[in-house]
Amino acid sequence: MAWTKYQLFLAGLMLVTGSINTLSAKWADIFVAEGCGGSKEHSFQHPFLQAVGMFLGEFSCLAAFYLLRCRAEGHSDSSVNPQQPFNPLLFLPPALCDMTGTSIMYVALNMTSASSFQMLRGAVIIFTGLFSVAFLGRRLVPSQWLGILATIAGLVVVGLADLLSKHDDQHKLSEVITGDLLIIMAQIIVAIQMVLEEKFVYKHNVHPLRAVGTEGLFGFVILSLLLVPMYYIPAGSFSGNPRGTLEDALDAFCQVGRQPLIALALLGNISSIAFFNFAGISVTKELSATTRMVLDSLRTVVIWALSLVLGWEAFHPLQILGFLILLMGTALYNGLHRPLLSRLSWSHPPAEESERERLLGDTRTPINHTS
């Protein structure tokens, strides 16, 4: 079945904005500029301020939701019109997990490459699977356990590639290892977020854009307030600002004033996360969860290729092997081998609707699946 122009647009939008989201964050980290009070030039390392920007982008999804809701008035679109009231505070625990996990990942992105950052985020499958068994009472099928094992193997290969790669002055070996471990640690928190969303939020049948926007609102407000004590908390070697504190938002604004391209990178990060969430939700609805997973994997390839072209990292063949193993693990966990086997065995006719129902369930997707 051929895709419509609208479906092609959504797929392209998801791929492009998803790639821009990671690359723009890494681009901001690369800039060097003077800070406040005539401090010497230093790298733009402000992960918590960047996380605030990302939550601002998520918050804007609320505007998209209400625009769709206004458009749907007078139409029978039950996915946009609220079906039952819910307490917005239900989103507070997942938002706290999102805030913590995102902040850790932005810290890690300062230490490691954009491609490794993207690949290692695949570790979320391991912890989501284990937590769903422990707390949601699910039973994983053998193919899902194989997918988890393959993902672990892929993470080991990607980590090994980082160990064997050449490292410049900006990314020393110890920093790369720390960054990789922080990314994997953050996926534990992201998995907790997904379990909380499924256990307490999904039963209220909240529209995904509204859910992302509400979590973005909580994350934006709370993390913005936390920037004040972070300005005074010493962070030692983890600090990237001249004052040696956990975060120095004033220093960040001074650097932006002296290097306007940093503002462009931050704007790209903020806007791309909003469009990426919208496109991802729309792709799942218009096409299938399979398509969304494939596009997300292609996003990793795009980020990796552009990072190599821009000279942000050195090529290592082990990364190809690691990516392929991670891709296989994701495919096994999400059951993408089943339609392929059914086609090969000719036991069942190919049916896109049955595939969508099996992978997507009742059209619910993990909230903020990309952050």
Side-chain angles (χ1 to χ4, degrees):
M1 182 179 178
W3 286 8
T4 64
K5 290 182 179 179
Y6 178 62
Q7 290 171 334
L8 285 171
F9 168 75
L10 289 175
L13 183 65
M14 179 181 170
L15 182 61
V16 171
T17 55
S19 302
I20 290 174
N21 184 249
T22 299
L23 291 170
S24 60
K26 189 62 183 178
W27 188 33
D29 295 342
I30 291 174
F31 282 110
V32 175
E34 292 181 3
C36 297
S39 62
K40 65 178 183 179
E41 289 188 342
H42 54 280
S43 299
F44 185 84
Q45 295 186 17
H46 298 280
F48 297 100
L49 185 69
Q50 286 179 289
V52 169
M54 193 215 70
F55 284 118
L56 179 61
E58 286 187 6
F59 178 33
S60 66
C61 288
L62 267 183
F65 167 76
Y66 285 112
L67 285 174
L68 288 175
R69 187 171 172 180
C70 291
R71 184 183 174 186
E73 286 183 357
H75 299 81
S76 57
D77 189 354
S78 60
S79 66
V80 177
N81 294 320
Q83 295 184 353
Q84 56 179 309
F86 69 95
N87 187 350
L89 289 177
L90 282 173
F91 291 97
L92 183 57
L96 291 174
C97 291
D98 192 9
M99 182 185 71
T100 307
T102 300
S103 299
I104 292 174
M105 282 191 281
Y106 274 116
V107 171
L109 187 57
N110 283 318
M111 301 179 176
T112 190
S113 64
S115 63
S116 294
F117 169 83
Q118 194 65 36
M119 291 183 195
L120 292 172
R121 289 173 68 181
V124 71
I125 286 177
I126 301 170
F127 306 111
T128 304
L130 295 177
F131 290 163
S132 65
V133 171
F135 301 110
L136 299 178
R138 284 188 175 168
R139 297 185 65 180
L140 300 183
V141 297
S143 61
Q144 289 178 311
W145 287 113
L146 284 175
I148 289 175
L149 291 176
T151 301
I152 294 173
L155 293 174
V156 171
V157 174
V158 171
L160 188 60
D162 280 344
L163 285 174
L164 298 177
S165 296
K166 295 179 180 179
H167 303 286
D168 52 24
D169 294 334
Q170 184 180 5
H171 294 121
K172 297 178 181 178
L173 179 59
S174 59
E175 290 185 351
V176 171
I177 295 173
T178 303
D180 288 353
L181 291 175
L182 284 174
I183 295 169
I184 296 174
M185 184 191 305
Q187 302 319 302
I188 300 176
I189 301 172
V190 173
I192 295 173
Q193 174 194 346
M194 290 184 174
V195 169
L196 287 172
E197 288 169 348
E198 182 154 348
K199 191 171 182 66
F200 300 109
V201 177
Y202 281 152
K203 63 182 179 182
H204 293 278
N205 198 21
V206 182
H207 190 277
L209 279 178
R210 189 176 190 181
V212 172
T214 306
E215 286 189 10
L217 171 61
F218 280 123
F220 175 73
V221 172
I222 295 172
L223 196 54
S224 295
L225 293 174
L226 287 176
L227 289 179
V228 177
M230 287 180 183
Y231 183 80
Y232 300 99
I233 298 174
S237 60
F238 275 97
S239 175
N241 58 74
R243 295 179 61 251
T245 56
L246 198 57
E247 182 60 280
D248 188 343
L250 295 180
D251 179 70
F253 289 124
C254 289
Q255 286 188 291
V256 170
R258 289 175 170 81
Q259 176 53 271
L261 286 178
I262 298 177
L264 181 62
L266 296 177
L267 183 62
N269 188 251
I270 293 170
S271 57
S272 63
I273 191 65
F275 283 106
F276 179 65
N277 275 294
F278 171 76
I281 291 165
S282 301
V283 163
T284 303
K285 183 178 179 182
E286 295 288 333
L287 296 165
S288 69
T290 307
T291 307
R292 184 174 183 174
M293 197 221 78
V294 171
L295 289 172
D296 208 40
S297 299
L298 285 175
R299 177 167 69 117
T300 303
V301 176
V302 171
I303 292 169
W304 185 21
L306 287 176
S307 296
L308 291 173
V309 170
L310 295 170
W312 291 356
E313 59 183 275
F315 173 77
H316 198 287
L318 270 181
Q319 279 193 312
I320 298 178
L321 178 61
F323 171 71
L324 291 176
I325 296 174
L326 285 171
L327 185 61
M328 181 180 68
T330 304
L332 284 170
Y333 186 85
N334 287 283
L336 301 193
H337 62 291
R338 294 173 188 167
L340 178 62
L341 290 176
S342 65
R343 285 186 175 92
L344 291 176
S345 63
W346 296 96
S347 58
H348 302 285
E352 292 185 4
E353 277 307 313
S354 62
E355 176 188 349
R356 182 180 306 203
E357 289 173 5
R358 178 173 59 254
L359 293 177
L360 190 55
D362 54 357
T363 72
R364 300 177 301 188
T365 56
I367 299 170
N368 192 20
H369 177 66
T370 62
S371 65

